């Protein structure tokens, strides 16, 4: 997910006392290393509450933990140390490319145990296609807890909020989890809007004006 060739990890935190990272590449994509996010599925059952904003509380809990682990900087750990569950004290053969300060530490406290295990499984699996991906010296930095919205705006069969002209769509509204899926959802909503006004025009007898 979110592969950034020749890219950088950036501190994208937006709230005091919380750390959230993201990835980016300059147009030349000529940085020393590449980075990519590893995404683990999180469901409402993991939030521990049925409150409408439970997802946001879950997100904030772990971003606060990441802030504490890095003492305000981006927490960094080598993959080999992550697997062995020991804090990283020195870097190996990979130089971190991070915009902003970073701190060598342990990421264990920044994620639930099941997510930690799933990340290890995913990285090892990727290594079968891209040898070296699961190198002990690979650098992990965290956390990116905003790959998709933790809140979903409810919409009906016509893809709009009931009784309104509001059409929630894309990542922020909780209907996508990336650039491509957001674009597809946006197209679906655009078609729904066009269909609605086309049908209303036919009902009002103004189809000729639209076509003309």
């Amino acid at each position: 997910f979110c592969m950034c060739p020749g890219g950088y990890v950036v501190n994208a935190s937006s709230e005091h006392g919380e750390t959230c990272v993201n990835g980016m590449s300059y147009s030349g994509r000529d940085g020393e290393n590449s980075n990519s996010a590893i995404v683990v599925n999180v469901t409402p059952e993991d939030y521990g509450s049925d409150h409408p904003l439970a997802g946001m509380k879950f997100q904030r809990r772990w971003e606060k933990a990441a802030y504490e682990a890095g003492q305000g900087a981006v927490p960094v750990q080598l993959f080999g140390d992550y697997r062995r569950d020991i804090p990283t004290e020195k870097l190996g053969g990979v130089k971190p490319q991070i915009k902003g300060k970073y701190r060598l530490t342990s990421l264990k406290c920044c994620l639930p145990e099941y997510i930690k295990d799933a990340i290890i499984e995913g990285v090892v699996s990727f290594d079968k296609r891209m040898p070296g991906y699961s190198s002990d010296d690979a650098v992990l930095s965290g956390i990116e807890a905003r790959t998709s919205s933790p809140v979903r705006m409810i919409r009906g069969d016509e893809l709009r909020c009931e009784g309104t002209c509001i059409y929630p769509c894309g990542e922020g509204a909780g209907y996508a989890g990336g650039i491509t899926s957001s674009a597809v959802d946006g197209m679906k909503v655009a078609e729904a809007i066009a269909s609605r006004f086309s049908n209303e025009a036919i009902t009002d007898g103004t189809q000729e004006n639209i076509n003309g």
Side-chain angles (χ1 to χ4, degrees), residues 18-31:
E18 299 176 21
T19 295
C20 178
V21 300
N22 211 321
M24 54 143 300
S25 297
Y26 289 112
S27 59
R29 298 181 176 180
D30 53 2

Side-chain angles (χ1 to χ4, degrees), residues 198-210:
S198 177
N199 291 336
E200 288 182 0
I202 292 173
T203 302
D204 293 341
T206 57
Q207 182 67 35
E208 181 178 346
N209 291 335
I210 292 177

Side-chain angles (χ1 to χ4, degrees), residues 158 160 164-165 167 191-201:
E158 296 181 340
R160 58 177 169 142
T164 74
C165 289
Y167 289 80
E191 290 172 352
I193 294 172
S195 176
R196 175 192 172 195
F197 284 101
S198 177
N199 291 336
E200 288 182 0

Side-chain angles (χ1 to χ4, degrees), residues 17-157:
E18 299 176 21
T19 295
C20 178
V21 300
N22 211 321
M24 54 143 300
S25 297
Y26 289 112
S27 59
R29 298 181 176 180
D30 53 2
E32 184 176 339
N33 302 315
S34 297
N35 70 77
S36 57
I38 305 297
V39 178
V40 176
N41 191 44
V42 175
T43 67
E45 288 72 27
D46 297 315
Y47 300 158
S49 168
D50 58 0
H51 189 279
L53 300 181
M56 291 182 64
K57 293 179 180 179
F58 181 88
Q59 182 185 70
R60 284 171 170 164
R61 171 187 173 185
W62 297 107
E63 288 185 2
K64 286 179 180 178
Y67 182 91
E68 292 171 1
Q71 297 181 11
V74 174
V76 165
Q77 186 175 19
L78 299 188
F79 182 63
D81 294 338
Y82 185 75
R83 295 179 73 176
R84 291 187 289 270
D85 200 13
I86 58 175
T88 291
E89 297 181 351
K90 63 178 182 179
L91 295 170
V94 180
K95 179 183 177 182
Q97 290 201 148
I98 297 177
K99 292 294 184 178
K101 295 181 180 180
Y102 65 87
R103 178 175 181 268
L104 302 181
T105 183
S106 170
L107 294 171
K108 180 182 179 180
C109 62
C110 304
L111 298 166
E113 193 67 25
Y114 73 92
I115 290 183
K116 175 179 177 288
D117 294 341
I119 288 175
I120 292 173
E121 182 180 347
V123 171
V124 171
S125 178
F126 283 137
D127 190 79
K128 296 176 182 177
R129 299 188 179 187
M130 295 176 285
Y133 196 88
S134 65
S135 164
D136 281 355
D137 287 350
V139 176
L140 301 181
S141 52
I143 61 172
E144 182 175 354
R146 305 184 189 183
T147 56
S148 57
S149 175
V151 179
R152 171 171 285 187
M153 297 178 66
I154 303 301
R155 64 190 187 190
D157 294 338

